[in-house]
Amino acid sequence: MEDLQFWDFAVIAAYFLVVTFIGFKTARGKTTPDELFLAGRTLGPMAIGFSLFASNISSDTLIGLPGAAYQYGISAANYEWMAGVVLMFTAIFVLPVLMRARITTMPELMERRFDSRLRKYLSVITLFLSIILDTAGTLYAGGLIVTTFIPGTNLWEVCALLALFTSIYTAVGGLRAVVYTDVIQACVLIGGSAAMTWIIFGHFDYSWSRVLDEVSPEKLSLIRPLDDPSVPWLGLITGVPIVGFYYWTMNQYVVQRLLGARDIRAAGRASVFAAALKLLPIFIMTIPGAMVVPLLPGLEHPDQVYPRMVQEFTPTGLTGLILAGLIAALMSTLSSTLNSSATLLTLDFIKPVRPQLTDAQLAKWGRVCTFILAAVAASWGPMIQYFSGLWAYLQQVFAFVASPLVATFLMGLWVKSLGSSAALRGLATGHVLSAILFVLVETGLVPIHFTIIGGILCAATALATWFWMTRLGTSDRPASQDARIAVMAKEGLERVPRDVMIGIAIVAALTAVVVFLLR
C-alpha cells in the first residue's frame, strides 16, 4: 500500500484540530454531573441524531460491512435498516417512559422498576461489553487501520495514543463535546464513504444495469434463505431485532444521547432522524463492498476489502479524508463508550458508596474514571490479535448476552405483576442457558445460527421469568400503587408529538421500499 501524501496528512491534521477545538470550547464552565454526563439535558434533535449515527458506525463497521458484503453479499446491511425500525419502536413505546423518569442511566431505570440488584446486574454487564468488547475492539481495529496506512507505526503505541486523545476531550468536555464532535464526524463518515461509492460506481459507467450484470444476484439480496451463513431470514425476524433493541434502547452509550435531549419532541425527532440515517450504510458501505467483487477478485480475507478499496479507487486528499473518517468513526465510538462507562461507574458504584460527594466531586470522579477505563481498554485492545476468530463471533457475544436482558426489560415494561426476585431469577436463568448454548454452538454440537439463537434465548428467558413469577407467587408481586409500577405505567405519560409520528410513518415507508427493492 502506498504511503500517504502531504495533502492526506493535511486533511487528517485539520480534522484533529477541529475536534480538539470543539472539545475544549464546549468544556467551559461545565462541571456538574448532569452537564458532564447528559449535556445539561439541552441537546437538540439534529445533534443527537448525527451522534447516534456516528457513535454506531465504528472503524470495525467501516471495514466489516464492505468485507461482509464482499464475502456473503449485502445481507449484512439488515442490521442497519433494522436499527431504524428499533429506533422508531423506541420513540413510540420507550421514550415517553424514559423522559418522564428523568434518569441518568438505564440501570437506574431497572432499579426504579425492580430493585438495586437488577441495577447492579445490568451495570456490570454493560461495563463489560462497553470496555472489553466495544472500546478495546474499536481500539484494536483502529490500530490495525493506522498501522496499515502509516507504515512503521506500532499497534500498542497507536492504541495508547488514540485512547489518550479521545479520553482527554471526552473527560474535559463530557457528553456535549462527544455529541458536537459526533456531528463533524458523521459528516466526514457520510461524505468520505459517499465519495468513494460514487468513484466505484463510475467503474460501471454509473449504470445499475451493469452492476446487476457483473455482480451475482445473491450478493445483492437482503432477504436470504434459512441456510445463509450471514443473516438467514428467520434470524432477521427474531434475533436481529432483539439485539438491535438492546443496542439502541438499553445500551448506555447509545441511549445516553436520548436522555440528554431537552424534551420528548427533541428525543423523538432525533430517533426518526437517526433511523433515516441508518439507511445510508446500505448504499455507501455495503453495496460498494459487493460491487468491488469483480473489480478486486480473489482477496483472501474480507478485512482486506476496505483498505484495498481506498488504495485502488481514491485520489490523494480523498484518501486522507477517508482515513480521517476511519479515525472519526473510531473516536466517536471510543468517546461514546468511555463517557457512558464513566457515567455508570460514577453514578451506579461510586455515588452509592460515597453519597456525601458534591456535584463537583462527582464530576471529577467521572473524569478520573474516563482515564482509567481508557487505560484498561488500551491495554486489552492489542491483546485481541492473539484471539483467533474473536471478530467472527463479536456479534454472537451480543446476541447471547443481550437477548435475556431484552426479555426482562420488556416484561418489566408491560407485565405489571412481575416482581424483582422473579425478574432477577429469570434473567440469571436466561444467562445460564445462554452460556450453555454458546459453548454448544461454538463447538458445533448445535448448528443453529446465532441470530436464531438470540430469539430462542429471549423467549426462554421470558418463560423462565414467568415460571419464577408463578413459583414465588404474591409475595414477590408489587402492589398496584407501588412506585415500581408507577415508573412504567401508561397513565400520565406524555404523548409522542404528532410530527414525530408523521416522521416515523415516512421513514417506515421508505425503509419498506428499500427492503422490497433489494429483497
Side-chain angles (χ1 to χ4, degrees):
M1 181 170 289
E2 296 181 1
D3 294 344
L4 298 177
Q5 304 301 312
F6 169 78
W7 289 110
D8 297 319
F9 284 107
V11 170
I12 296 171
Y15 164 76
F16 272 96
L17 288 174
V18 170
V19 169
T20 303
F21 173 77
I22 292 175
F24 282 93
K25 182 74 173 179
T26 56
R28 294 184 179 180
K30 315 302 183 184
T31 58
T32 67
D34 199 48
E35 179 63 46
L36 183 67
F37 300 133
L38 294 178
R41 300 185 193 268
T42 60
L43 297 174
M46 294 292 287
I48 297 173
F50 272 124
S51 185
L52 287 170
F53 177 80
S55 61
N56 169 244
I57 302 298
S58 183
S59 51
D60 58 303
T61 303
L62 283 173
I63 290 180
L65 278 179
Y70 184 93
Q71 187 175 19
Y72 299 116
I74 66 171
S75 59
N78 284 313
Y79 289 99
E80 303 304 307
W81 69 261
M82 185 62 76
V85 174
V86 171
L87 279 165
M88 292 183 284
F89 176 90
T90 299
I92 298 173
F93 296 103
V94 182
L95 272 185
V97 174
L98 299 182
M99 301 308 292
R100 180 179 64 182
R102 291 188 65 81
I103 56 174
T104 305
T105 68
M106 286 303 292
E108 181 184 348
L109 182 66
M110 296 290 278
E111 179 181 34
R112 293 174 63 176
R113 172 58 182 90
F114 298 112
D115 58 24
S116 60
R117 295 175 298 172
L118 269 296
R119 178 174 184 167
K120 293 293 193 297
Y121 196 115
L122 181 57
S123 292
V124 170
I125 291 177
T126 303
L127 281 170
F128 173 79
L129 292 176
S130 294
I131 299 303
I132 301 302
L133 291 182
D134 286 331
T135 311
T138 301
L139 279 172
Y140 173 65
L144 288 180
I145 292 167
V146 174
T147 53
T148 299
F149 279 91
I150 307 178
T153 52
N154 178 273
L155 181 62
W156 288 86
E157 295 172 353
V158 171
C159 288
L161 287 174
L162 289 172
L164 177 62
F165 181 81
T166 308
S167 62
I168 288 175
Y169 83 74
T170 301
V172 173
L175 183 64
R176 189 180 300 277
V178 173
V179 170
Y180 287 163
T181 53
D182 277 352
V183 174
I184 303 297
Q185 291 161 355
C187 294
V188 171
L189 288 172
I190 295 171
S193 298
M196 187 164 63
T197 300
W198 187 250
I199 292 173
I200 293 172
F201 193 35
H203 286 263
F204 296 89
D205 297 327
Y206 305 105
S207 170
W208 184 246
S209 297
R210 277 200 59 188
V211 175
L212 295 176
D213 290 338
E214 297 188 34
V215 180
S216 59
E218 63 270 14
K219 288 190 178 295
L220 295 174
S221 172
L222 285 174
I223 311 301
R224 304 300 302 145
L226 193 59
D227 60 349
D228 185 75
S230 181
V231 184
W233 67 265
L234 184 56
L236 174 61
I237 61 176
T238 55
V240 173
I242 290 171
V243 173
F245 184 87
Y246 168 80
Y247 187 91
W248 292 100
T249 305
M250 298 180 66
N251 192 348
Q252 177 66 22
Y253 94 81
V254 172
V255 79
Q256 189 165 339
R257 284 145 178 73
L258 295 173
L259 297 176
R262 55 177 173 254
D263 53 33
I264 191 172
R265 184 181 298 275
R269 288 177 174 177
S271 298
V272 175
F273 182 45
L277 289 177
K278 288 301 290 178
L279 292 175
L280 292 178
I282 299 175
F283 301 100
I284 63 177
M285 296 175 191
T286 312
I287 289 180
M291 287 197 298
V292 299
V293 172
L295 302 179
L296 299 173
L299 295 183
E300 296 181 358
H301 198 282
D303 289 346
Q304 299 174 345
V305 175
Y306 193 82
R308 283 293 302 275
M309 287 165 62
V310 176
Q311 178 189 23
E312 297 292 334
F313 303 119
T314 59
T316 300
L318 182 58
T319 302
L321 180 64
I322 296 294
L323 185 55
L326 288 166
I327 298 173
L330 159 76
M331 293 176 59
S332 177
T333 299
L334 288 179
S335 61
S336 302
T337 55
L338 288 175
N339 184 263
S340 63
S341 298
T343 302
L344 288 176
L345 199 56
T346 303
L347 300 183
D348 288 356
F349 294 96
I350 294 176
K351 186 178 180 180
V353 176
R354 306 184 66 178
Q356 75 280 5
L357 292 177
T358 65
D359 284 351
Q361 289 172 326
L362 281 174
K364 182 179 179 180
W365 270 105
R367 293 186 172 99
V368 171
C369 289
T370 300
F371 286 109
I372 293 174
L373 294 169
V376 172
S379 300
W380 180 252
M383 298 299 294
I384 295 176
Q385 64 185 309
Y386 302 112
F387 285 79
S388 175
L390 178 61
W391 286 105
Y393 63 75
L394 184 60
Q395 286 290 342
Q396 297 181 41
V397 174
F398 277 102
F400 282 94
V401 175
S403 298
L405 291 170
V406 172
T408 302
F409 182 89
L410 291 177
M411 290 189 72
L413 185 66
W414 290 329
V415 182
K416 293 183 178 181
S417 58
L418 177 59
S420 56
S421 293
L424 180 62
R425 294 184 186 187
L427 180 57
T429 302
H431 275 136
V432 169
L433 179 60
S434 70
I436 295 172
L437 284 177
F438 181 81
V439 173
L440 294 176
V441 169
E442 286 301 304
T443 55
L445 297 177
V446 177
I448 302 177
H449 198 273
F450 70 89
T451 55
I452 301 174
I453 289 287
I456 294 173
L457 284 172
C458 187
T461 303
L463 290 174
T465 304
W466 199 268
F467 166 79
W468 286 112
M469 286 177 61
T470 305
R471 184 72 179 271
L472 295 174
T474 57
S475 61
D476 185 52
R477 295 178 184 177
S480 58
Q481 301 301 318
D482 197 307
R484 290 178 293 174
I485 298 300
V487 72
M488 297 288 196
K490 295 180 180 179
E491 295 78 11
L493 283 180
E494 189 175 358
R495 296 185 62 180
V496 179
R498 186 169 181 268
D499 62 327
V500 173
M501 294 301 296
I502 293 174
I504 288 174
I506 294 172
V507 176
L510 182 60
T511 301
V513 170
V514 170
V515 174
F516 177 78
L517 292 176
L518 295 175
R519 68 189 186 282

